[in-house]
Amino acid sequence: MAEDRSIRVRLIAQVNDYVAAMKQAGAATVDFGREITGQGQATSQQMEMVGKAALTMSGVIGAGLGLSAKAAIDWETAWAGVTKTVDGTASEMAVLEGQLRQLATELPATHSEIAAVAEAAGQLGISRENIASFTRTMIDLGETTNLTAEEAATAMARMANIMQTPQAEIDRLGSSLVALGNNSATTEREILDMATRIASAGAQIGLTEGEVLGFAAALSSVGIEAEAGGTAISKVMLQTRNAVMDGGEALETFAMVAGMSADQFKAKFEQDAGGAIIAFIEGLARLEAQGVNTNTILAELGFADVRVGNALRSAASAGDLFRESLELGNTAWEENTALTDEANKRYQTTAAQLGILRNNIVEFAIEIGDVLLPVLNTGVDALQTMARGFGELPGPVKTGATWIGVLSTAGLGLIGTAATLAPKIKQLRDSLMAMGTAGQFVGRNMGTMATGIGVATVALGLLTYHMGQQAQQAAEAEARIQGFADAIQEVGDVTGGVEQQIRNMLSATESREIAEWMREAGVST
């Protein structure tokens, strides 16, 4: 009996101080429990719906901001490439940037594709003032021909440099190219490849851009390959010019083949070099038809090379193709509508419209991202500063900071877990209330019991830590912890059904005292 009395005294002595604090915490926990689990089913469902809607909305907003930041970062990277090849003041470059982004809202090519063409244009020597119009022309060609925009940019810029074409008129080159491609037995890539090879010779004899493209289209249409045929025709052009300039037997021979006198052929060449060469090619076809051995004639003119002879014979067999191609090239240059008309047709297709819609969305995202990037950059700078500072900290401080981060993460995890389990707590409580007296006892006092266990756990943890840090007080701390643990064990026994055993050890009066204490603590008996 003395031992029982000792247990009672120790229980009351150890728990009395604990009860006062636990009572207040228990009441708050019960109120919280009522807020979470004591409401009706309709309120819980409404809270769940609101929660889901909020999570969905926050997810959508977060994803949208993330995509906006990415779009702005992608454009920033693409624009950096342009600034490497194009020079200008800050205000001038801002105007160009606005022009290129405006193009993206009108064309199906992406922002990055447009910036890549502009970067290539700057590298190819296109001036800043003409970058935007040049880029649009190349994008149009990329959309309407079998050329990519960057391929077209490289070839067109080179041809324009050779022919001394004003940069503001490069769109006319595009119109001639598209018109010839639509009306010849060849492709725009083949035409442009041939044209860049004969452009130098064409410029020397005075051919226009339309005529160079016309020659290229006709030669490609009769199967002459650019690499060999371009060299052969260039030689014919230059030899013809030399004959006109030098006179003599060579001029007489050219004129005879063309069906003219030497003076007539010279005048024709000086006024219309392309027309004079076509007359010569057509004359070869006429002589071939009359049974004349043209090989001898070609040898006299310095065209004994097999490639040159084959190119001229192929050209001679094409009839009026050369004349028609030159006329079409010049007409398309003057009208300057073929490329625009073709591009507009393509841009009306569903695929192109979807591409334009995508670009408008991306442009909107870039606008938002432009606001976000300074904030992100500030955050990055701060993180870099923090990282450098952390690296300079002493080892023990690093360890402490790391543990703070771990504990903070764990705390957030507990909060998230508690929020997730709130509906489950209500279900458990309802189940316990349906289990009879014992279940109702636990169910009614879940908040108080949970608080007591939680407080006890934290207290034990703190005491253990304190004990580890203060080794010199180990004996005293151990005694306090043991006494506290014994008291908690006694409370656990009450919760676990040992309540009756304690009641048996107490007198009726003492039982009433304990019962009064339990009611004060928030435990229903």
Side-chain angles (χ1 to χ4, degrees):
M1 189 66 178
E3 182 180 354
D4 294 341
R5 174 65 62 181
S6 175
I7 294 174
R8 291 198 303 273
V9 171
R10 187 171 59 187
L11 173 65
I12 293 171
Q14 294 289 338
V15 174
N16 273 344
D17 292 339
Y18 169 68
V19 167
M22 189 177 73
K23 182 177 179 181
Q24 183 177 2
T29 304
V30 171
D31 290 341
F32 177 73
R34 290 196 186 102
E35 290 295 329
I36 294 179
T37 64
Q39 302 299 321
Q41 182 68 22
T43 302
S44 297
Q45 292 176 347
Q46 292 169 359
M47 291 176 64
E48 184 176 359
M49 291 174 62
V50 171
K52 289 181 178 179
L55 287 172
T56 301
M57 182 177 296
S58 65
V60 171
I61 293 174
L65 292 176
L67 291 174
S68 295
K70 183 181 184 305
I73 291 171
D74 289 345
W75 171 253
E76 186 179 52
T77 302
W79 173 245
V82 178
T83 60
K84 290 191 304 182
T85 63
V86 181
D87 295 327
T89 64
S91 59
E92 290 170 340
M93 295 302 288
V95 170
L96 176 58
E97 182 180 10
Q99 291 172 335
L100 296 179
R101 287 173 60 174
Q102 179 62 32
L103 285 181
T105 65
E106 301 170 357
L107 306 175
T110 66
H111 285 73
S112 296
E113 291 170 344
I114 289 172
V117 175
E119 180 181 351
Q123 192 171 17
L124 292 166
I126 303 300
S127 64
R128 186 191 65 257
E129 296 81 1
N130 295 303
I131 290 285
S133 60
F134 178 87
T135 299
R136 178 169 193 129
T137 298
M138 299 309 118
I139 295 295
D140 288 348
L141 286 170
E143 294 292 332
T144 59
T145 70
N146 64 334
L147 291 160
T148 67
E150 292 188 56
E151 286 174 342
T154 301
M156 284 286 194
R158 289 174 179 171
M159 183 173 174
N161 288 336
I162 294 170
M163 300 294 297
Q164 294 297 298
T165 305
Q167 293 182 358
E169 296 185 358
I170 290 180
D171 57 332
R172 294 180 179 274
L173 276 176
S175 289
S176 292
L177 178 62
V178 169
L180 290 165
N182 289 342
N183 294 277
S184 303
T186 186
T187 65
E188 289 84 1
R189 177 180 279 111
E190 291 173 321
I191 295 172
L192 193 53
D193 193 10
M194 178 71 79
T196 55
R197 292 178 183 275
I198 66 175
S200 178
Q204 292 184 56
I205 67 173
L207 295 182
T208 66
E209 292 88 343
E211 289 171 339
V212 169
L213 288 168
F215 263 112
L219 291 167
S220 299
S221 296
V222 296
I224 298 176
E225 296 182 357
E227 185 173 356
T231 302
I233 294 300
S234 295
K235 185 173 183 179
V236 171
M237 291 179 178
L238 296 178
Q239 289 285 78
T240 306
R241 184 200 63 174
N242 291 338
V244 169
M245 293 177 64
D246 297 339
E249 294 183 3
L251 176 59
E252 294 286 347
T253 303
F254 272 109
M256 180 273 294
V257 173
M260 305 178 187
S261 67
D263 290 340
Q264 289 175 331
F265 186 81
K266 180 178 180 179
K268 177 68 174 178
F269 187 87
E270 291 173 346
Q271 296 173 4
D272 179 13
I277 293 175
I278 290 175
F280 172 73
I281 292 173
E282 290 175 341
L284 286 175
R286 184 174 61 254
L287 293 174
E288 287 276 0
Q290 295 173 358
V292 176
N293 184 1
T294 57
N295 288 331
T296 303
I297 297 174
L298 294 176
E300 291 176 2
L301 294 173
F303 300 145
D305 186 280
V306 174
R307 291 178 301 176
V308 177
N310 290 339
L312 286 172
R313 289 187 184 89
S314 297
S317 66
D320 294 334
L321 176 60
F322 277 82
R323 193 177 300 278
E324 293 171 357
S325 294
L326 265 64
E327 291 177 356
L328 178 58
N330 280 332
T331 300
W333 172 278
E334 294 296 331
E335 294 178 350
N336 195 25
T337 59
L339 177 57
T340 301
D341 292 344
E342 187 72 15
N344 287 337
K345 292 177 183 177
R346 295 299 180 94
Y347 296 157
Q348 294 303 314
T349 64
T350 301
Q353 287 296 309
L354 289 174
I356 294 172
L357 174 61
R358 174 204 60 213
N359 289 349
N360 278 273
I361 294 173
V362 171
E363 178 62 25
F364 176 68
I366 292 174
E367 292 286 350
I368 297 175
D370 285 342
V371 179
L372 290 175
L373 289 190
V375 179
L376 291 176
N377 289 331
T378 301
V380 170
D381 291 341
L383 288 174
Q384 291 175 342
T385 301
M386 290 174 61
R388 288 193 295 269
F390 186 82
E392 296 171 358
L393 291 175
V397 178
K398 291 182 183 179
T399 303
T402 302
W403 276 107
I404 290 173
V406 171
L407 293 174
S408 298
T409 303
L412 291 174
L414 289 173
I415 293 172
T417 302
T420 303
L421 292 178
K424 305 299 181 183
I425 294 173
K426 182 180 183 304
Q427 295 176 9
L428 176 60
R429 179 179 180 277
D430 292 342
S431 298
L432 290 171
M433 294 300 290
M435 290 171 61
T437 303
Q440 292 174 6
F441 172 80
V442 177
R444 285 193 300 270
N445 295 282
M446 283 176 62
T448 302
M449 292 166 61
T451 303
I453 294 170
V455 172
T457 302
V458 173
L460 286 171
L462 291 174
L463 286 174
T464 302
Y465 176 79
H466 182 70
M467 181 182 68
Q469 295 296 310
Q470 304 293 334
Q472 66 274 19
Q473 301 177 5
E476 181 182 353
E478 181 178 359
R480 288 202 303 272
I481 293 170
Q482 184 61 47
F484 193 79
D486 291 341
I488 294 302
Q489 179 63 46
E490 294 291 340
V491 174
D493 290 342
V494 172
T495 304
V498 190
E499 176 188 4
Q500 190 59 43
Q501 297 178 20
I502 296 177
R503 288 180 183 275
N504 292 338
M505 292 189 296
L506 302 174
S507 65
T509 300
E510 290 168 332
S511 296
R512 284 194 297 273
E513 291 176 358
I514 294 299
E516 181 64 22
W517 168 78
M518 291 176 70
R519 280 193 297 273
E520 290 178 358
V523 179
S524 301
T525 59

